[in-house]
Amino acid sequence: MDAVRVALLREVLAGTEWPAAARGFARTLRSSVVPRGGGLLLVGTEVYEPWHMAAHLVDESTWSGLPQLRPTLVRHRVEPDDPVHLAVGLGRIEAAGRGETLLVVAPERPDGGLLERVHDARRAGATVLSLDGGDPEVRGLAHEALTVTADDEVDLDTVQHLVSAAAGENGAPAPRGRRTFRDRLSRLADQLTAPPPARW
């Protein structure tokens, strides 16, 4: 999702908790991976693989100059002919430890095998974050969680867009006088969608 669409989405959601909640979660994500030089693992459930979240984080890592945000997508099923970047199985979570961050995206309750692996990774020192649908076990394993339920005014896909965009925007500022095209576009979009100033 480009900067203009994210700005419009934030405008639509102004007055709700979601823009601020997404920025807060993105801050936590960034602060857990950037000082440690990366090690971001991204995993979904058996029926939901967070492809879009992975793609957006790759884009944001490139645009923001924060390669640490580039995730490793961990998959429940890996086929022998899968390309290398899509051939990382659940065993990678078992190897996770101190200095690594595991982001679990779970709209529904994951199977017990994944929960056990996440628990082991946490015990080994990995930081666990979750974007979830409200399952208490997932939330209980996470150091930080952002929950989207069926009763909320947004869905989990929308929140993933907000989080990934905020993670990139909260990156290190570009040197003075050297703003990228994306920086200028984002600033313009924010100006165009900002409410008019209050007049007293």
Side-chain angles (χ1 to χ4, degrees), residues 15 25 29 49 52 58 69-70 79 118 120 135 137 145 155 161-162 169 171 189 199-200:
F25 189 84
L29 172 62
E49 283 193 326
H52 282 100
V58 167
L69 287 174
R70 181 178 297 268
E79 300 299 330
V118 172
D120 291 345
D135 181 77
E137 280 200 62
D155 60 19
H161 286 301
L162 292 172
E169 288 170 356
R199 301 201 182 271
W200 300 100

PDB file of all heavy atoms in Angstrom, residues 15 25 29 49 52 58 69-70 79 118 120 135 137 145 155 161-162 169 171 189 199-200:
ATOM      1  N   GLY A  15      -9.861   9.460  14.820  1.00  0.00           N
ATOM      2  CA  GLY A  15     -10.884   9.411  15.860  1.00  0.00           C
ATOM      3  C   GLY A  15     -11.066   8.024  16.445  1.00  0.00           C
ATOM      4  O   GLY A  15     -11.772   7.850  17.433  1.00  0.00           O
ATOM      5  N   PHE A  25       2.565  -0.174  18.224  1.00  0.00           N
ATOM      6  CA  PHE A  25       3.026  -1.535  17.974  1.00  0.00           C
ATOM      7  C   PHE A  25       4.235  -1.514  17.036  1.00  0.00           C
ATOM      8  O   PHE A  25       5.210  -2.251  17.240  1.00  0.00           O
ATOM      9  CB  PHE A  25       1.897  -2.367  17.374  1.00  0.00           C
ATOM     10  CG  PHE A  25       2.212  -3.828  17.275  1.00  0.00           C
ATOM     11  CD1 PHE A  25       2.022  -4.678  18.349  1.00  0.00           C
ATOM     12  CD2 PHE A  25       2.701  -4.371  16.094  1.00  0.00           C
ATOM     13  CE1 PHE A  25       2.318  -6.028  18.263  1.00  0.00           C
ATOM     14  CE2 PHE A  25       3.000  -5.714  15.981  1.00  0.00           C
ATOM     15  CZ  PHE A  25       2.811  -6.552  17.086  1.00  0.00           C
ATOM     16  N   LEU A  29       7.970  -3.055  17.529  1.00  0.00           N
ATOM     17  CA  LEU A  29       8.591  -3.929  16.540  1.00  0.00           C
ATOM     18  C   LEU A  29       9.959  -3.393  16.132  1.00  0.00           C
ATOM     19  O   LEU A  29      10.964  -4.114  16.141  1.00  0.00           O
ATOM     20  CB  LEU A  29       7.678  -4.051  15.311  1.00  0.00           C
ATOM     21  CG  LEU A  29       8.243  -4.774  14.089  1.00  0.00           C
ATOM     22  CD1 LEU A  29       8.577  -6.217  14.419  1.00  0.00           C
ATOM     23  CD2 LEU A  29       7.270  -4.694  12.924  1.00  0.00           C
ATOM     24  N   GLU A  49      -1.172 -17.522   5.944  1.00  0.00           N
ATOM     25  CA  GLU A  49       0.223 -17.106   5.841  1.00  0.00           C
ATOM     26  C   GLU A  49       0.262 -15.605   5.577  1.00  0.00           C
ATOM     27  O   GLU A  49      -0.408 -15.125   4.656  1.00  0.00           O
ATOM     28  CB  GLU A  49       0.942 -17.849   4.710  1.00  0.00           C
ATOM     29  CG  GLU A  49       1.305 -19.266   5.068  1.00  0.00           C
ATOM     30  CD  GLU A  49       2.290 -19.876   4.079  1.00  0.00           C
ATOM     31  OE1 GLU A  49       2.231 -19.560   2.881  1.00  0.00           O
ATOM     32  OE2 GLU A  49       3.119 -20.673   4.524  1.00  0.00           O
ATOM     33  N   HIS A  52       1.215 -10.732   2.655  1.00  0.00           N
ATOM     34  CA  HIS A  52       1.183  -9.285   2.431  1.00  0.00           C
ATOM     35  C   HIS A  52       2.012  -8.539   3.477  1.00  0.00           C
ATOM     36  O   HIS A  52       2.716  -7.587   3.156  1.00  0.00           O
ATOM     37  CB  HIS A  52      -0.261  -8.763   2.423  1.00  0.00           C
ATOM     38  CG  HIS A  52      -0.971  -9.044   1.150  1.00  0.00           C
ATOM     39  ND1 HIS A  52      -1.858 -10.081   1.006  1.00  0.00           N
ATOM     40  CD2 HIS A  52      -0.906  -8.440  -0.064  1.00  0.00           C
ATOM     41  CE1 HIS A  52      -2.314 -10.102  -0.229  1.00  0.00           C
ATOM     42  NE2 HIS A  52      -1.753  -9.120  -0.905  1.00  0.00           N
ATOM     43  N   VAL A  58       9.209  -5.885   3.693  1.00  0.00           N
ATOM     44  CA  VAL A  58      10.363  -5.835   2.785  1.00  0.00           C
ATOM     45  C   VAL A  58      10.431  -4.462   2.124  1.00  0.00           C
ATOM     46  O   VAL A  58      11.493  -3.826   2.071  1.00  0.00           O
ATOM     47  CB  VAL A  58      10.283  -6.961   1.727  1.00  0.00           C
ATOM     48  CG1 VAL A  58      11.287  -6.725   0.612  1.00  0.00           C
ATOM     49  CG2 VAL A  58      10.519  -8.327   2.373  1.00  0.00           C
ATOM     50  N   LEU A  69      14.248  -4.548   9.312  1.00  0.00           N
ATOM     51  CA  LEU A  69      12.808  -4.805   9.233  1.00  0.00           C
ATOM     52  C   LEU A  69      12.455  -5.887   8.218  1.00  0.00           C
ATOM     53  O   LEU A  69      11.315  -6.334   8.164  1.00  0.00           O
ATOM     54  CB  LEU A  69      12.046  -3.520   8.864  1.00  0.00           C
ATOM     55  CG  LEU A  69      11.916  -2.461   9.944  1.00  0.00           C
ATOM     56  CD1 LEU A  69      11.263  -1.207   9.368  1.00  0.00           C
ATOM     57  CD2 LEU A  69      11.110  -2.988  11.126  1.00  0.00           C
ATOM     58  N   ARG A  70      13.418  -6.306   7.413  1.00  0.00           N
ATOM     59  CA  ARG A  70      13.155  -7.328   6.390  1.00  0.00           C
ATOM     60  C   ARG A  70      12.950  -8.669   7.099  1.00  0.00           C
ATOM     61  O   ARG A  70      13.861  -9.184   7.736  1.00  0.00           O
ATOM     62  CB  ARG A  70      14.321  -7.404   5.418  1.00  0.00           C
ATOM     63  CG  ARG A  70      14.131  -8.416   4.298  1.00  0.00           C
ATOM     64  CD  ARG A  70      15.317  -8.392   3.363  1.00  0.00           C
ATOM     65  NE  ARG A  70      15.455  -7.115   2.702  1.00  0.00           N
ATOM     66  CZ  ARG A  70      14.907  -6.823   1.514  1.00  0.00           C
ATOM     67  NH1 ARG A  70      14.222  -7.742   0.866  1.00  0.00           N
ATOM     68  NH2 ARG A  70      15.048  -5.635   0.984  1.00  0.00           N
ATOM     69  N   GLU A  79       7.664 -26.793   0.208  1.00  0.00           N
ATOM     70  CA  GLU A  79       7.817 -27.788  -0.860  1.00  0.00           C
ATOM     71  C   GLU A  79       9.270 -27.815  -1.336  1.00  0.00           C
ATOM     72  O   GLU A  79       9.964 -26.801  -1.270  1.00  0.00           O
ATOM     73  CB  GLU A  79       6.894 -27.437  -2.033  1.00  0.00           C
ATOM     74  CG  GLU A  79       5.419 -27.389  -1.683  1.00  0.00           C
ATOM     75  CD  GLU A  79       4.881 -28.718  -1.179  1.00  0.00           C
ATOM     76  OE1 GLU A  79       5.411 -29.767  -1.603  1.00  0.00           O
ATOM     77  OE2 GLU A  79       3.939 -28.706  -0.360  1.00  0.00           O
ATOM     78  N   VAL A 118       6.493 -21.418  19.671  1.00  0.00           N
ATOM     79  CA  VAL A 118       6.594 -20.009  20.072  1.00  0.00           C
ATOM     80  C   VAL A 118       6.964 -19.908  21.549  1.00  0.00           C
ATOM     81  O   VAL A 118       7.812 -19.098  21.939  1.00  0.00           O
ATOM     82  CB  VAL A 118       5.277 -19.260  19.771  1.00  0.00           C
ATOM     83  CG1 VAL A 118       5.299 -17.848  20.355  1.00  0.00           C
ATOM     84  CG2 VAL A 118       5.027 -19.199  18.263  1.00  0.00           C
ATOM     85  N   ASP A 120       8.665 -22.087  23.285  1.00  0.00           N
ATOM     86  CA  ASP A 120      10.077 -22.460  23.414  1.00  0.00           C
ATOM     87  C   ASP A 120      10.994 -21.324  22.972  1.00  0.00           C
ATOM     88  O   ASP A 120      12.028 -21.069  23.601  1.00  0.00           O
ATOM     89  CB  ASP A 120      10.379 -23.719  22.599  1.00  0.00           C
ATOM     90  CG  ASP A 120       9.724 -24.968  23.199  1.00  0.00           C
ATOM     91  OD1 ASP A 120       9.282 -24.913  24.365  1.00  0.00           O
ATOM     92  OD2 ASP A 120       9.640 -25.984  22.480  1.00  0.00           O
ATOM     93  N   ASP A 135      -7.103 -14.578  20.573  1.00  0.00           N
ATOM     94  CA  ASP A 135      -6.913 -15.836  21.279  1.00  0.00           C
ATOM     95  C   ASP A 135      -6.063 -15.597  22.529  1.00  0.00           C
ATOM     96  O   ASP A 135      -4.970 -15.038  22.441  1.00  0.00           O
ATOM     97  CB  ASP A 135      -6.220 -16.866  20.377  1.00  0.00           C
ATOM     98  CG  ASP A 135      -6.034 -18.187  21.095  1.00  0.00           C
ATOM     99  OD1 ASP A 135      -7.021 -18.935  21.213  1.00  0.00           O
ATOM    100  OD2 ASP A 135      -4.905 -18.449  21.573  1.00  0.00           O
ATOM    101  N   GLU A 137      -4.297 -17.567  24.416  1.00  0.00           N
ATOM    102  CA  GLU A 137      -2.984 -18.233  24.472  1.00  0.00           C
ATOM    103  C   GLU A 137      -1.953 -17.492  23.644  1.00  0.00           C
ATOM    104  O   GLU A 137      -0.796 -17.369  24.037  1.00  0.00           O
ATOM    105  CB  GLU A 137      -3.098 -19.687  24.024  1.00  0.00           C
ATOM    106  CG  GLU A 137      -3.617 -20.600  25.117  1.00  0.00           C
ATOM    107  CD  GLU A 137      -3.279 -22.049  24.844  1.00  0.00           C
ATOM    108  OE1 GLU A 137      -2.074 -22.384  24.787  1.00  0.00           O
ATOM    109  OE2 GLU A 137      -4.226 -22.827  24.688  1.00  0.00           O
ATOM    110  N   ALA A 145       1.187  -7.318  22.168  1.00  0.00           N
ATOM    111  CA  ALA A 145       0.160  -7.814  21.249  1.00  0.00           C
ATOM    112  C   ALA A 145      -0.732  -6.674  20.782  1.00  0.00           C
ATOM    113  O   ALA A 145      -0.983  -5.729  21.524  1.00  0.00           O
ATOM    114  CB  ALA A 145      -0.690  -8.888  21.930  1.00  0.00           C
ATOM    115  N   ASP A 155     -10.255  -4.673   9.995  1.00  0.00           N
ATOM    116  CA  ASP A 155      -9.877  -6.082   9.991  1.00  0.00           C
ATOM    117  C   ASP A 155      -8.361  -6.190  10.152  1.00  0.00           C
ATOM    118  O   ASP A 155      -7.636  -5.192  10.121  1.00  0.00           O
ATOM    119  CB  ASP A 155     -10.371  -6.796   8.731  1.00  0.00           C
ATOM    120  CG  ASP A 155      -9.819  -6.185   7.449  1.00  0.00           C
ATOM    121  OD1 ASP A 155      -8.798  -5.450   7.497  1.00  0.00           O
ATOM    122  OD2 ASP A 155     -10.402  -6.432   6.384  1.00  0.00           O
ATOM    123  N   HIS A 161      -1.375  -3.291   7.328  1.00  0.00           N
ATOM    124  CA  HIS A 161      -0.925  -2.176   6.490  1.00  0.00           C
ATOM    125  C   HIS A 161      -0.476  -1.006   7.358  1.00  0.00           C
ATOM    126  O   HIS A 161       0.579  -0.405   7.113  1.00  0.00           O
ATOM    127  CB  HIS A 161      -2.055  -1.704   5.574  1.00  0.00           C
ATOM    128  CG  HIS A 161      -2.339  -2.617   4.431  1.00  0.00           C
ATOM    129  ND1 HIS A 161      -1.403  -2.950   3.474  1.00  0.00           N
ATOM    130  CD2 HIS A 161      -3.472  -3.268   4.072  1.00  0.00           C
ATOM    131  CE1 HIS A 161      -1.942  -3.765   2.590  1.00  0.00           C
ATOM    132  NE2 HIS A 161      -3.203  -3.974   2.928  1.00  0.00           N
ATOM    133  N   LEU A 162      -1.267  -0.675   8.360  1.00  0.00           N
ATOM    134  CA  LEU A 162      -0.929   0.448   9.236  1.00  0.00           C
ATOM    135  C   LEU A 162       0.374   0.199   9.984  1.00  0.00           C
ATOM    136  O   LEU A 162       1.224   1.085  10.102  1.00  0.00           O
ATOM    137  CB  LEU A 162      -2.066   0.701  10.231  1.00  0.00           C
ATOM    138  CG  LEU A 162      -3.379   1.222   9.667  1.00  0.00           C
ATOM    139  CD1 LEU A 162      -4.458   1.236  10.750  1.00  0.00           C
ATOM    140  CD2 LEU A 162      -3.206   2.619   9.073  1.00  0.00           C
ATOM    141  N   GLU A 169       8.056   4.390   8.571  1.00  0.00           N
ATOM    142  CA  GLU A 169       8.053   5.841   8.790  1.00  0.00           C
ATOM    143  C   GLU A 169       8.808   6.222  10.043  1.00  0.00           C
ATOM    144  O   GLU A 169       9.367   7.299  10.128  1.00  0.00           O
ATOM    145  CB  GLU A 169       6.616   6.349   8.923  1.00  0.00           C
ATOM    146  CG  GLU A 169       5.869   6.338   7.632  1.00  0.00           C
ATOM    147  CD  GLU A 169       4.409   6.613   7.813  1.00  0.00           C
ATOM    148  OE1 GLU A 169       3.945   6.736   8.964  1.00  0.00           O
ATOM    149  OE2 GLU A 169       3.718   6.699   6.798  1.00  0.00           O
ATOM    150  N   GLY A 171      11.471   5.079  10.977  1.00  0.00           N
ATOM    151  CA  GLY A 171      12.894   4.797  10.795  1.00  0.00           C
ATOM    152  C   GLY A 171      13.744   6.036  10.981  1.00  0.00           C
ATOM    153  O   GLY A 171      13.260   7.131  11.232  1.00  0.00           O
ATOM    154  N   ALA A 189       0.877  13.777   1.067  1.00  0.00           N
ATOM    155  CA  ALA A 189      -0.368  13.064   1.373  1.00  0.00           C
ATOM    156  C   ALA A 189      -0.889  13.449   2.751  1.00  0.00           C
ATOM    157  O   ALA A 189      -2.090  13.651   2.942  1.00  0.00           O
ATOM    158  CB  ALA A 189      -0.139  11.559   1.293  1.00  0.00           C
ATOM    159  N   ARG A 199     -10.237  27.326  13.948  1.00  0.00           N
ATOM    160  CA  ARG A 199     -10.270  28.787  14.014  1.00  0.00           C
ATOM    161  C   ARG A 199     -11.086  29.161  15.266  1.00  0.00           C
ATOM    162  O   ARG A 199     -12.177  28.709  15.462  1.00  0.00           O
ATOM    163  CB  ARG A 199     -10.923  29.374  12.765  1.00  0.00           C
ATOM    164  CG  ARG A 199     -10.191  28.979  11.508  1.00  0.00           C
ATOM    165  CD  ARG A 199     -10.506  29.946  10.399  1.00  0.00           C
ATOM    166  NE  ARG A 199      -9.853  29.549   9.167  1.00  0.00           N
ATOM    167  CZ  ARG A 199      -8.632  29.932   8.826  1.00  0.00           C
ATOM    168  NH1 ARG A 199      -7.947  30.712   9.615  1.00  0.00           N
ATOM    169  NH2 ARG A 199      -8.104  29.551   7.684  1.00  0.00           N
ATOM    170  N   TRP A 200     -10.497  30.045  16.042  1.00  0.00           N
ATOM    171  CA  TRP A 200     -11.151  30.440  17.296  1.00  0.00           C
ATOM    172  C   TRP A 200     -11.779  31.794  17.141  1.00  0.00           C
ATOM    173  O   TRP A 200     -11.337  32.649  16.499  1.00  0.00           O
ATOM    174  CB  TRP A 200     -10.131  30.462  18.447  1.00  0.00           C
ATOM    175  CG  TRP A 200      -9.529  29.128  18.646  1.00  0.00           C
ATOM    176  CD1 TRP A 200      -8.321  28.686  18.208  1.00  0.00           C
ATOM    177  CD2 TRP A 200     -10.116  28.003  19.297  1.00  0.00           C
ATOM    178  NE1 TRP A 200      -8.105  27.392  18.554  1.00  0.00           N
ATOM    179  CE2 TRP A 200      -9.191  26.949  19.229  1.00  0.00           C
ATOM    180  CE3 TRP A 200     -11.330  27.783  19.953  1.00  0.00           C
ATOM    181  CZ2 TRP A 200      -9.443  25.706  19.781  1.00  0.00           C
ATOM    182  CZ3 TRP A 200     -11.564  26.538  20.494  1.00  0.00           C
ATOM    183  CH2 TRP A 200     -10.639  25.530  20.398  1.00  0.00           C
TER     184      TRP A 200
END
